[in-house]
């Protein structure tokens, strides 16, 4: 009996898919031209299994990008459940920094997958944008950041993340940058320091 297109994957198929994505992220970040057969071998799956999940290089690259973006977005509600809104926002920005470095490392592979005529478009940023909006509004409602900060403002200010070289020790620099951003967001917060009012 054929499986419906939208039916969830069996647990072993889901594990194979996740393992392929994990290995592909690591390998494609290192080299955009890595052979798909090498990714399949390192993931411990046969070529047939690999191509059932990802029939083309483009499909694999774009799914990695979409998957990583969704992973970042999905952490926002969980962080809000376990932390104060401003701390949740700050920790989420650390995850966003890791995503930025992944994206930078995959940039060549993404360009190759989306640049030729007739190739698919790069997925939109809607999940990450929605997560940032959720966190900003929660922190604003709690009075822990200045009112009126938009998602566009936030992404413009943290845009420097995307200029860092993922092959260097980028983490200390990203931490400093994001600490500066949070300090700025807290100035003028109704529940915080009044000096920024």
């Amino acid at each position: 009996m054929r499986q419906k297109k939208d039916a969830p994957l069996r647990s072993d198929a889901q594990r194979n898919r996740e393992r392929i994505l994990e290995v592909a992220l690591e390998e494609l970040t290192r080299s955009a031209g890595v052979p798909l057969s090498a990714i399949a071998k390192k993931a411990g799956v046969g070529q047939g299994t690999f191509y059932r999940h990802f029939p083309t290089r483009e499909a694999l690259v774009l799914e990695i990008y979409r998957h990583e973006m969704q992973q970042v977005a999905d952490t926002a509600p969980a962080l809000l459940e376990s932390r104060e809104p401003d701390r949740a926002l700050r920790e989420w920005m650390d995850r966003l920094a890791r995503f930025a470095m992944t994206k930078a490392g995959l940039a060549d592979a993404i360009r190759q997958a989306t640049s030729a005529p007739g190739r698919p478009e790069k997925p939109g940023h809607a999940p990450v944008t929605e997560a940032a909006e959720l966190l900003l509004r929660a922190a604003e409602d709690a009075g822990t950041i200045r009112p009126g900060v938009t998602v566009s403002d936030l992404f413009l200010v943290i845009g420097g993340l995307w200029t860092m070289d993922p092959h260097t020790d980028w983490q200390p620099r990203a931490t400093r940058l994001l600490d500066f951003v949070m300090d700025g967001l807290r100035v003028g917060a109704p529940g915080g320091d009044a000096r920024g009012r």
Side-chain angles (χ1 to χ4, degrees):
M1 186 170 155
R2 286 176 55 186
Q3 187 179 16
K4 289 182 182 174
K5 186 165 179 75
D6 293 337
L9 294 173
R10 293 185 335 254
S11 61
D12 58 334
Q14 184 63 33
R15 280 191 301 273
N16 284 339
R17 185 177 187 283
E18 288 171 3
R19 178 72 181 137
I20 292 167
L21 287 171
E22 179 184 316
V23 169
L25 171 61
E26 182 182 317
E27 295 299 313
L28 288 167
T29 299
R30 200 174 295 141
S31 168
V34 67
L36 298 183
S37 58
I39 294 171
K41 184 175 181 180
K42 189 166 182 183
V45 299
Q47 300 253 353
T49 298
F50 183 94
Y51 286 108
R52 258 193 311 282
H53 289 287
F54 304 104
T56 65
R57 176 178 288 276
E58 292 80 14
L60 174 63
V61 169
L62 294 178
E63 181 57 18
I64 291 168
Y65 182 69
R66 189 205 64 74
H67 182 263
E68 290 298 303
M69 190 167 26
Q70 192 63 53
Q71 295 285 95
V72 172
D74 288 347
T75 61
L79 286 168
L80 279 174
E81 286 179 14
S82 60
R83 289 159 180 72
E84 292 298 317
D86 60 327
R87 290 302 319 150
L89 175 60
R90 178 61 185 84
E91 286 188 38
W92 184 80
M93 287 194 294
D94 284 334
R95 292 164 196 235
L96 186 63
R98 283 193 294 277
F99 171 67
M101 292 303 99
T102 297
K103 181 180 179 245
L106 278 174
D108 287 341
I110 293 168
R111 246 188 317 280
Q112 289 171 15
T114 59
S115 62
R119 295 246 173 114
E121 291 183 17
K122 189 165 75 172
H125 297 104
V128 171
T129 301
E130 290 165 10
E133 179 70 25
L134 174 72
L135 290 159
L136 285 171
R137 296 298 66 87
E140 184 177 338
D141 291 348
T144 56
I145 66 168
R146 67 189 320 140
V149 177
T150 68
V151 172
S152 296
D153 295 337
L154 179 67
F155 288 144
L156 184 61
V157 171
I158 63 175
L161 290 173
W162 279 264
T163 66
M164 291 185 207
D165 183 346
H167 302 101
T168 64
D169 185 20
W170 57 268
Q171 288 165 320
R173 193 169 185 200
T175 298
R176 277 196 317 275
L177 171 70
L178 296 177
D179 285 344
F180 292 152
V181 170
M182 279 309 300
D183 288 346
L185 289 172
R186 288 183 177 118
V187 173
D193 187 349
R195 287 177 299 172
R197 287 186 185 177

